[in-house]
Structures are given as C-alpha cells and as structure tokens.
Amino acid sequence: MTFQDDTAYALEEDRLDPLSEYRKLFHIPPDKRGRSQLYLAGNSLGLQPKSARRYVDEELDDWQRYAVEGHFFGRRPWMPYHELATAASARLVGAKDIEVVCMNTLTVNLHLMMVSFFRPSGKRKKILIEKPAFPSDRYAVVSQLKFHGLDPAENLIEIAPRESEFFLAEQNISDTIDKHGDEIALILLPGVQYYSGQVLDMAEITRLGHNKGCMVGFDLAHAIGNIPLQLHDWDVDFAAWCTYKYMNSGPGAIGGCYINKRYAEDDSLSRLAGWWGHDKSSRFRMGPEFIPIPGAEGWQLSNPPILSLAPVLASLDIFDRVGIPALRDKSTKLTSYLAWLVDKKLDEHIQIITPQHARASQLSLRLRRPELGREVQKRLGIRGVICDWREPDVIRVAPVPLYNRYTEVYRFVEVMQELLAT
Ligand SMILES: *Cc1c(COP(=O)(O)O)cnc(C)c1O
C-alpha cells in the first residue's frame, strides 16, 4: 500500500471509499462548538446507529399497546425475540445457528461458559490466560479457580509479552501450551487483545490446545464486528462477546455466546440452568425437571431484556448489509494509513505497540515520554478528539471502517503533532 501525506490524498480516499455511505447511518457526537467530534473510540463504545431508536421505540410501543400479550402479538414477539439475533450473529462469528445465542453480558457469559468448560480434574487443573488480561476476565478466572478450591498462585498461567515487547509472541504461546498443556484444563485467550490490539491466531491456538487435550475458549470483545471469524471451522470449544464495542449496540447491550455443536446435546456437562434454557415446547408447563434446548440456547437463564436487545438487532442489520470482508478491507487500509502517518510524523514521540503482522481496527500508541500522557489526553478532549487512554502510557486509537474516514485519521495525526510539538 502506498500513501501520501496530505489532505488532498485523504479527501480523495474518502471520495473513493466504497463504504463512505455507512457513516450516515450513525450519530456522530458533536463537540462543544457543534462540529462533529473526531471519534476514534469505537473499540470502547461504538456509535449509535440512527435506526437503534426506532427498534427500541417499537418495543416501548408494543409494551404500551399489548402489555403481556406482546410476548405473542408484538411485531417482534418477545417470546422468541432473542432468536432474531441468532443468524446474523452466527454469520459474524462463523458458526452454525445452533451454536450461537444472544444473552446476558460478557463477564456473566464467561462465568457460565467456565461452569461448563472449566472442569479441573486429576493433574489437569490450570487455566491459561494472557498478561495483561482485561481485569474482568482475570477476576472471573481467578474466582472460578477459587470456586473449585484451587489456589490461583499455582493454577493460573499468564503468558506475558517478552522483555521489551508489548504483544504475545506466537512462539511463546505455542511453547507454553507445549510445556504445560498436560496440566491445562482451559485456555482462555482474546481474539483481539484489548491493550495491544494484537489479533491472535485462534485457529492455531485451538489446534495446539486440542492436541494437548485442553478446552479452548475465546473472549471476542474486541474481535466481533472487527475481524473475520470462523469459530466452527477452527473447532473452538466456546466463545463469548459483548456488543457495545465494534458492534455499536449501546452501553451494556446484550452480549452473546458460541458453544461448539459437539456439545449441543451433551448432558455430561455441568451447567447452570434457568427457565429460558428449557425446552420451548414444554417451558410453560412449568414442570420441575429442566430439559435443556439443544445447542447454545440451552444455556440461557432468564427471559432476555428486550430493550437492551433491540439495538443489537438494529446493529446486526447494518453488519449484514455491509459484510465483514468489505469492512476488513477498509479497516486494513485505514489502520495502515494511520500507522504510516504515525511512523512518518510522530516517530520521535510515539511507538506503535500493535504488532504489524497482527493488526485490526485498533492501534495502541505508546508515548515515549509517559509523563505527557495525561496532558495529551486532556488536550485531545479539548480539541474534540475522542480516544482511549490506558495507564501508564498508551493511547488506543480505533479508526472504525463503518464510520471513520481517511480525513479523520489524517486530522488526528495533525492534532497529535501540534500537541506534542508544544
Ligand atoms: C470490554 C471487555 C469486557 C467488559 O465486560 P462486561 O462484562 O461487558 O462489562 C470484558 N472483557 C474484555 C476482554 C473486554 O474487552
């Protein structure tokens, strides 16, 4: 890819961008002077699709009009409402419909998955995660170990970047699995690492883990809606995700799970049960025995919060229209453009810690002078630039192909140059 360092080039790329129309489907928050913010934080909270309000309003209307009968007579009846999110979610993660369900939120789902897929026994008791893992994932894993009476100091393995590196070396991952695999019950890694933005080779990790007899699950918080996923073909055991980052479904929106088809009717798995996971034909007979729905739906507990699931449908509709391959194409180019500009114009101040061979929509930028961090973040805010600051010295910037532009990437680097020059 060849790029140019001027506004005219960025403008021309915006004009030629086959996805440029999609930006209009989103609300771009205004800055204090009423101009569009330069929003580069879609990896933290995606922008609101304009259609989300209609989806939510329609449910409020149906609740007003039908009350309890909305379960059956609403325009999207609430009884099977979660099913409306299944097929499009399955397409995004590369799964069969029976392998996917939209329910709960991410950390809750990680716990539910670990109840079923972390089954320590004999010599095989350990969990492998990365360092630094997202705090919630680490808390969840440590609490699961304790729940089983296991000492995290002995049973938690954390793969860290090598000395003076910021991402996980593939060799290090495979060596660790090779060395400790016989003692690892569960490998739980991210599809895209939240801090470094590194994309992990999920197919390879699954293969290595299975060779050693480990369960393999992925946290897809930063992967879904961002990179192509083929969970079924990769033979991943389980995965969980949230939908408010690249999926643009709103704060605390309902997340999802993938559970490999081989477990669809496996009644040897332990699991936590609730009535929404019970066989649909007999759910309302209210019998005392739990009969799970085959597949991922059988892991549901409660009837879903319709108002938090409505924006997920709005968002999935957009993803179905644009498709991940087109998003990935633009993302590759947009992120590469950002990286090229940063290397060219900001190298003195900034090191890109996202590995070039494994990037998606996010670049993590490390300030060479960390003491400037707070001030830079503050001034970016004043200039209407929204991105994400992570202690001690990293700015995470996500040019999102659905709604960000080449001119925004160009402008961001210009603003950074101005800020860092003074
Ligand atoms: C965003 C994120 C979470 C958030 O968890 P919630 O349960 O949705 O609050 C957890 N883990 C990772 C890796 C994340 O990126």
Side-chain angles (χ1 to χ4, degrees):
M1 275 178 262
T2 52
F3 301 113
Q4 287 168 33
D5 175 13
D6 58 66
T7 324
Y9 169 82
L11 276 168
E12 181 64 2
E13 286 300 324
D14 282 341
R15 201 181 60 77
L16 297 173
D17 173 10
L19 304 189
S20 62
E21 290 298 303
Y22 284 93
R23 179 178 169 93
K24 298 197 186 102
L25 302 182
F26 293 88
H27 290 291
I28 316 288
D31 67 11
K32 291 205 180 70
R33 287 186 246 162
R35 299 174 309 191
S36 290
Q37 276 178 358
L38 216 172
Y39 195 80
L40 297 170
N43 58 339
S44 262
L45 187 79
L47 293 181
Q48 183 184 129
K50 290 177 182 165
S51 55
R53 183 177 298 275
R54 176 171 65 81
Y55 276 81
V56 175
D57 274 349
E58 286 177 359
E59 298 317 320
L60 287 170
D61 287 347
D62 283 358
W63 176 23
Q64 177 179 337
R65 181 174 316 147
Y66 299 110
V68 71
E69 302 209 294
H71 283 106
F72 307 100
F73 302 126
R75 73 200 89 185
R76 297 183 199 89
W78 304 325
M79 262 282 285
Y81 193 88
H82 68 275
E83 294 172 26
L84 297 174
T86 302
S89 302
R91 282 190 280 278
L92 283 175
V93 298
K96 315 272 177 214
D97 288 1
I98 195 172
E99 295 176 318
V100 168
V101 66
C102 287
M103 61 178 188
N104 312 315
T105 43
L106 175 52
T107 309
V108 173
N109 284 334
L110 287 174
H111 275 297
L112 293 180
M113 294 300 98
M114 281 192 275
V115 165
S116 297
F117 299 105
F118 174 52
R119 296 182 296 167
S121 82
K123 189 163 160 275
R124 195 184 283 285
K125 291 192 210 122
K126 299 188 178 176
I127 303 183
L128 173 68
I129 62 171
E130 93 280 24
K131 188 175 188 165
F134 193 91
S136 197
D137 297 46
R138 194 177 188 282
Y139 304 154
V141 163
V142 166
S143 65
Q144 285 282 336
L145 286 167
K146 289 184 180 163
F147 180 78
H148 286 279
L150 297 167
D151 180 358
E154 279 170 31
N155 293 290
L156 182 63
I157 306 178
E158 299 174 275
I159 312 182
R162 294 184 296 212
E163 186 73 35
S164 78
E165 285 183 345
F166 296 89
F167 60 94
L168 303 169
E170 283 75 6
Q171 188 64 47
N172 220 354
I173 298 178
S174 60
D175 289 350
T176 306
I177 295 174
D178 202 44
K179 183 158 168 230
H180 301 283
D182 298 339
E183 299 177 346
I184 295 173
L186 172 64
I187 296 173
L188 181 60
L189 289 170
V192 176
Q193 217 282 337
Y194 87 100
Y195 187 77
S196 67
Q198 176 182 11
V199 180
L200 295 191
D201 187 342
M202 289 171 264
E204 179 64 2
I205 291 167
T206 307
R207 194 184 65 77
L208 294 168
H210 284 174
N211 275 347
K212 285 286 186 174
C214 317
M215 284 284 180
V216 183
F218 289 99
D219 182 323
L220 302 180
H222 287 266
I224 189 167
N226 181 13
I227 57 169
L229 297 164
Q230 291 297 338
L231 299 183
H232 180 84
D233 289 349
W234 298 339
D235 203 33
V236 172
D237 292 298
F238 71 89
W241 55 89
C242 53
T243 58
Y244 48 80
K245 294 173 179 169
Y246 296 100
M247 291 298 299
N248 310 313
S249 300
I254 293 303
C257 278
Y258 154 91
I259 297 158
N260 193 298
K261 197 164 168 261
R262 82 171 78 78
Y263 305 112
E265 304 194 52
D266 182 346
D267 54 21
S268 73
L269 289 175
S270 59
R271 73 165 111 195
L272 300 182
W275 74 320
W276 228 249
H278 184 94
D279 169 49
K280 292 175 198 176
S281 63
S282 61
R283 185 189 287 149
F284 287 94
R285 273 183 234 140
M286 307 299 222
E289 296 303 333
F290 176 68
I291 305 169
I293 305 169
E297 279 187 287
W299 268 263
Q300 293 173 104
L301 301 178
S302 299
N303 75 102
I306 300 295
L307 298 178
S308 307
L309 200 45
V312 178
L313 299 185
S315 167
L316 286 170
D317 180 52
I318 295 172
F319 277 90
D320 256 352
R321 276 149 63 192
V322 57
I324 289 292
L327 284 174
R328 179 65 168 163
D329 282 349
K330 177 174 169 189
S331 165
T332 304
K333 190 165 172 186
L334 199 57
T335 301
S336 300
Y337 186 43
L338 174 60
W340 185 80
L341 288 171
V342 169
D343 281 342
K344 182 162 190 291
K345 307 198 336 174
L346 296 169
D347 188 48
E348 177 193 340
H349 303 288
I350 281 174
Q351 173 192 12
I352 301 174
I353 64 170
T354 312
Q356 187 175 359
H357 68 279
R359 290 192 309 223
S361 297
Q362 169 187 326
L363 286 187
S364 301
L365 309 178
R366 184 169 160 269
L367 292 178
R368 296 193 194 274
R369 290 163 61 201
E371 66 278 10
L372 297 182
R374 292 236 156 262
E375 193 57 24
V376 167
Q377 182 71 0
K378 197 176 108 201
R379 292 203 198 173
L380 282 172
I382 293 168
R383 303 285 292 268
V385 180
I386 308 297
C387 46
D388 180 275
W389 170 250
R390 288 288 142 149
E391 296 291 343
D393 53 7
V394 167
I395 303 175
R396 301 185 311 157
V397 184
V400 171
L402 258 180
Y403 47 73
N404 284 126
R405 294 172 159 164
Y406 292 88
T407 37
E408 291 181 299
V409 164
Y410 189 77
R411 178 85 193 116
F412 168 76
V413 174
E414 256 184 355
V415 171
M416 285 296 282
Q417 240 185 335
E418 285 163 31
L419 293 186
L420 289 165
T422 51

